[in-house]
Structures are given as C-alpha cells and as structure tokens.
Amino acid sequence: MKRIKTYEGQRVIVVGLAKSGLNAARLLKKLGAKVTVSDQQPLEKNSEAQELQAEGGYRVLTGKQEPSQLDAGFDLMVKNPGIPYDVPLIKAATDAKLPIITEIELASEIADAELIAVTGSNGKTTTTTMITKMMNQERQAGQSAYAGNIGVPASQVAQKLTDQDTLVMEVSSFMLLGTTEFHPHIAVLTNIFSNHLDYHKTRENYVRAKMRITQNQTADDYFVVNFDSEELVGLSKQSKAQVVPFSRMAKTKAGAYELDGTLYYKEDPIMAAADVKVPGDHNIENALAAIAVAKIEGRSNEAIKHVLTTFGGVRHRTQYVLTSEGRQFYNDSKATDIEATEMALKGFKAPVVLLAGGLDRGYTFERLVPFFKEHVKAVVLFGETKDLLADAAKKAGIKTIQFTENAESGVSLAYQDSEPGDIILLSPANASWDQYPNFEVRGDRYIKAVEELAGKKEEN
C-alpha cells in the first residue's frame, strides 16, 4: 500500500455504506482524513454505521440524506456507485462543485500492485475471474487477487497487496463515473449493450462512462477490446493505449481470436474452443479477452489451457449446479437483462426449461422470441414481468407456460416440464429487486430448492 499524503486533514463525506463505503471510510481515516459517513438506513438497522460508531473517530449520520448535511463543509465526497447523481444530496454536491469520487478511485491511488481493470455490459465477472486465475499461474513472486464490482471492496484488497502482486478489478459504469486519475495498466472492455439507462439517462452517457476505463492510459498501457463490435472498433481509436483486439468471429488476427474451432493468440494456437469448460459463445468471448491479457503478461499456453479447462464458472453466472435424473440444472441468476439471457440460451444445444422473471423496468421481451423458438421447450415465470415474458413465449410458439410465486417455487414445476437430457435453467432476464434483496439471494434460494428436489448438494 502506498502511504499517500493526499487526504491528510481533508474533510471527507462518505455517502452510502455497505461493504465498499465501510472500507473506504476506514481507509480514509487511516490516511489522515476527517471522515463523516452518511447512510439512509436507520442506525438501529445499520450494522456498518454501528461498527464505525463503535470504533470511534467518525461522524456518523443515518436516516434521510438531506443537502443540509453538506453545510458542515467538505473537501471531497466518496459516493456509493449505486446512488444516482440526481438525488438531492448528490445534486447539491455537484452544484457546489464538490469533487465526487467512488471507492475504486481511492483504491487505485493507494495500490502498489499492477492494476488490470475489466468492464463491459456482460461478462465482467467471468472475465475478471479467468484473468485472476491465469495471473496466478507460473508466478515467481506475489499473487493475483480480484476486487471491485465482483463483490470484494477494492479499497480493502489494495491495502494488502505489494508491488509484487496483481490487482484485477471488475469495474462498473457506476464506479467509473466517479474516477479522475484511475489508471489501469491493462484495461478490458468486453462489450456494450444498452444497460442501466434508468441511471445514465442516455446510451451516450453509458458509453462515455464505460470508456473512462482507458481515459488515463498511455502508450505504455494496453486496451483489450471486443472487435466483433463495429462500435467498439471505433471507440478503441479514442484510447492512447496499445489496442489488443479479441474476436470470436476472427474479424482480426492481431490479438486473440477463434478460427475453425481453435482459440489463437496472433498466429499461435492455444486450445480447442470446445475444451473451454464454461458453456456458451459468450464465454468463448470472455476466454479470448482473458487470453489476450494473459499473453500480454507472458503466460504460457499451458497455463492458459489449464485455467480454461478447469474453471467451471462463477456462482450465479451460467453456473452448473448438479444433474438429477438426467436433467442438468444451471443457475444464471446474474442474468439481470435480456442480453445476458440471450447469451445463456445460446450456450446450450439441449432443450431448455427456462425459469425467468423479475423487476418490471418498463420494457418488453420480443427480442427473446427467436431465442425461445430455437432453445426453449417450456417456461416457468414469476415476478412483475411474468405476463410480459408469457407474451413473448406465446409468440415463440411455446405451449408449456407456467406461472409460479418465485424462482425457488418454480424448480419443481420446471422438473415436471422436463425429461432426461434437458437443461433446467434459471436465467431471469430481469433484476431481482421486486422479490429479493439481490441476484445472489435469488440464485442461492434457487440452488437450495434444486438441492432439496435432487436430494444432494451442488456439484460445482
């Protein structure tokens, strides 16, 4: 950890706690800042605020967050990435020209480790995990660790790493909006779809946020980009870094690509695409992005192949759960948008019984109709969007359409609608917040129901 002097004596307000805010507050105090924390959860229900209050040395504000909280005077705001910029407290800070950063900016400032950062609409977590595992192969010194949007606070991990280590950071568009000096040595952009427009307001804003991952890179750095997208080919020209492409469609041979069933880096064959353990074309793209990073870092083909043939997927992301009576159960609870469910469905050749549904964000599901036609034999639907998904299923000609209360109650119905050789897949195509605190809880409850039905524990 770098012992920077930037925050000594600075008055900093940390807005929004949870794990990242809690660790940011502790790090700022360690760096000599005068820290105030503000969280809308009442103190009696707020374990993080209670911890900081018990530790002492913090001003702790809980309950309704009013612009008047800024009256004490601050030099900096560290904002939870999920809090929109148009809420009154944040808007007041913006109007007052108070600098606003997110926790990943703070983490990158104190990180001694080499920094690799991964963003994109989909595939971030799988790609981040693949890269971390590859970076831990053939090391002579140090270790590779992941952090960020993957669920581990970056400010916590960065403190523990040295200049012998590698920090692989998954970063969301929300996080990137709060960066000014963030400078990864290798930046990865997996793809861009039209996500989170309720937060960013326009697609242009969303794309701009994603591109902040490379804004401070130089010619000594690397920008790994998906060249199957013409949009990303164009966006890559904005970067000052060395652009290293990857392409599942072999649109370029200048980086990592798939050709005739083989994964290559430049002219060097790495392995058969069919040997990648996690299913789906989207995971071939993730693997290619990881291969590009691993080859930049000098890893051997054998090390790369070892990771890609043994890594069975990240929890809640097209995660194999178990097989029972010839049915394979998969948990893709992280599929909180249509594109993720499209990708999951494309990954399976066997017939799929799909469990889907969740928070109504105001869009319909016609885009799923061709994927339903090609891959899905029956659907079990739940949540606020169940009727909208049923409309898409009817248009696709699916005859077996069932409704249920939630993901876990749908497991037995999905089993009844299946036969040996089928895939039973939870891939909701929607956020979870109408029924669950987050997608992890949704996936965990689904897995528990699968285990109870099968009478055995998950196998992955």
Side-chain angles (χ1 to χ4, degrees):
M1 170 182 165
K2 294 176 183 174
R3 297 288 176 178
I4 61 174
K5 305 288 188 181
T6 312
Y7 299 103
E8 282 189 2
Q10 293 281 294
R11 298 163 299 167
V12 183
I13 181 168
V14 177
V15 180
L17 282 173
K19 288 188 290 187
S20 65
L22 176 68
N23 282 280
R26 285 173 170 157
L27 175 56
L28 285 161
K29 184 184 172 187
K30 187 183 292 187
L31 294 172
K34 299 172 182 176
V35 183
T36 296
V37 297
S38 171
D39 192 272
Q40 63 183 357
Q41 188 81 352
L43 183 62
E44 61 272 15
K45 298 179 180 178
N46 195 323
S47 59
E48 291 90 358
Q50 290 172 19
E51 283 184 44
L52 293 178
Q53 197 169 65
E55 290 171 19
Y58 305 91
R59 180 169 173 243
V60 179
L61 307 175
T62 57
K64 191 171 182 181
Q65 293 172 314
E66 299 281 5
S68 60
Q69 291 182 350
L70 300 179
D71 291 347
F74 294 99
D75 302 301
L76 177 72
M77 175 182 285
V78 179
K79 181 184 77 68
N80 183 291
I83 300 174
Y85 283 80
D86 56 4
V87 303
L89 178 59
I90 310 303
K91 189 174 184 304
T94 303
D95 292 344
K97 295 184 169 42
L98 179 66
I100 301 172
I101 65 170
T102 52
E103 182 243 3
I104 62 165
E105 175 81 0
L106 183 62
S108 70
E109 289 181 284
I110 59 98
D112 261 331
E114 177 188 31
L115 178 58
I116 299 171
V118 181
T119 197
S121 298
N122 291 315
K124 296 186 294 296
T125 299
T126 298
T127 304
T128 298
T129 307
M130 287 176 171
I131 291 170
T132 304
K133 288 179 176 292
M134 290 177 187
M135 291 301 95
N136 273 324
Q137 299 293 310
E138 303 175 334
R139 289 194 84 99
Q140 299 302 310
Q143 62 172 318
S144 177
Y146 60 57
N149 198 57
I150 202 166
V152 185
S155 58
Q156 181 183 51
V157 176
Q159 293 183 61
K160 301 174 182 177
L161 300 181
T162 73
D163 59 5
Q164 298 293 305
D165 300 320
T166 306
L167 175 56
V168 187
M169 201 184 292
E170 178 186 330
V171 292
S172 68
S173 59
F174 301 170
M175 291 173 167
L176 286 167
L177 266 181
T179 58
T180 55
E181 305 298 325
F182 187 70
H183 183 174
H185 177 51
I186 303 176
V188 180
L189 179 54
T190 60
N191 47 56
I192 294 182
F193 301 112
S194 293
N195 288 1
H196 306 302
L197 300 192
D198 51 340
Y199 186 100
H200 292 286
K201 308 306 180 189
T202 68
R203 193 177 192 280
E204 291 75 16
N205 289 341
Y206 176 57
V207 171
R208 245 190 320 268
K210 287 294 188 189
M211 286 298 292
R212 290 174 81 100
I213 196 171
T214 187
Q215 69 179 348
N216 296 314
Q217 288 191 296
T218 70
D220 294 327
D221 301 314
Y222 298 89
F223 187 32
V224 177
V225 190
N226 188 342
F227 264 40
D228 287 338
S229 164
E230 290 301 321
E231 178 185 29
L232 297 194
V233 173
L235 287 169
S236 70
K237 295 173 183 175
Q238 298 176 14
S239 177
K240 296 182 180 70
Q242 301 172 57
V243 174
V244 180
F246 65 93
S247 171
R248 187 178 57 81
M249 301 176 186
K251 289 190 174 181
T252 174
K253 296 181 181 178
Y257 60 96
E258 178 186 359
L259 180 64
D260 297 330
T262 298
L263 305 185
Y264 290 82
Y265 185 74
K266 299 185 177 177
E267 298 299 321
D268 187 13
I270 307 291
M271 61 183 289
D275 290 340
V276 175
K277 188 173 181 181
V278 285
D281 289 343
H282 60 298
N283 280 317
I284 297 298
E285 292 182 2
N286 298 334
L288 289 168
I291 286 169
V293 173
K295 296 308 287 186
I296 291 168
E297 293 283 353
R299 296 304 186 268
S300 71
N301 294 353
E302 291 73 24
I304 292 168
K305 186 172 181 179
H306 171 74
V307 170
L308 294 179
T309 56
T310 57
F311 172 56
V314 178
R315 193 170 182 83
H316 308 303
R317 294 157 177 83
T318 324
Q319 170 206 355
Y320 170 68
V321 180
L322 56 79
T323 298
S324 179
E325 302 295 330
R327 286 91 163 162
Q328 292 184 39
F329 289 83
Y330 282 82
N331 163 35
D332 191 36
S333 184
K334 181 60 172 66
T336 57
D337 56 52
I338 292 171
E339 290 86 1
T341 295
E342 289 174 357
M343 289 181 176
L345 291 173
K346 286 192 294 185
F348 296 104
K349 293 183 172 58
V352 174
V353 178
L354 176 69
L355 294 92
L359 181 71
D360 188 350
R361 280 176 158 163
Y363 50 73
T364 56
F365 297 90
E366 282 80 7
R367 276 184 50 187
L368 284 174
V369 171
F371 298 91
F372 283 177
K373 281 182 179 177
E374 185 173 353
H375 300 281
V376 179
K377 65 182 287 186
V379 293
V380 179
L381 307 173
F382 52 86
E384 292 177 355
T385 58
K386 60 181 181 294
D387 293 324
L388 294 169
L389 282 158
D391 289 341
K394 288 172 188 173
K395 289 175 183 174
I398 295 173
K399 304 230 181 313
T400 305
I401 300 172
Q402 298 217 57
F403 297 99
T404 188
E405 183 180 351
N406 49 42
E408 56 267 36
S409 65
V411 169
S412 59
L413 292 175
Y415 183 85
Q416 292 166 21
D417 294 336
S418 67
E419 56 191 353
D422 288 348
I423 303 294
I424 298 177
L425 169 68
L426 171 67
S427 187
N430 293 269
S432 59
W433 302 319
D434 58 331
Q435 294 182 306
Y436 302 91
N438 50 54
F439 71 83
E440 292 97 338
V441 171
R442 178 170 63 187
D444 288 340
R445 291 181 184 172
Y446 167 77
I447 290 172
K448 184 178 179 183
V450 170
E451 291 176 332
E452 290 174 353
L453 177 75
K456 58 181 177 179
K457 292 293 185 183
E458 63 179 290
E459 298 169 9
N460 191 28

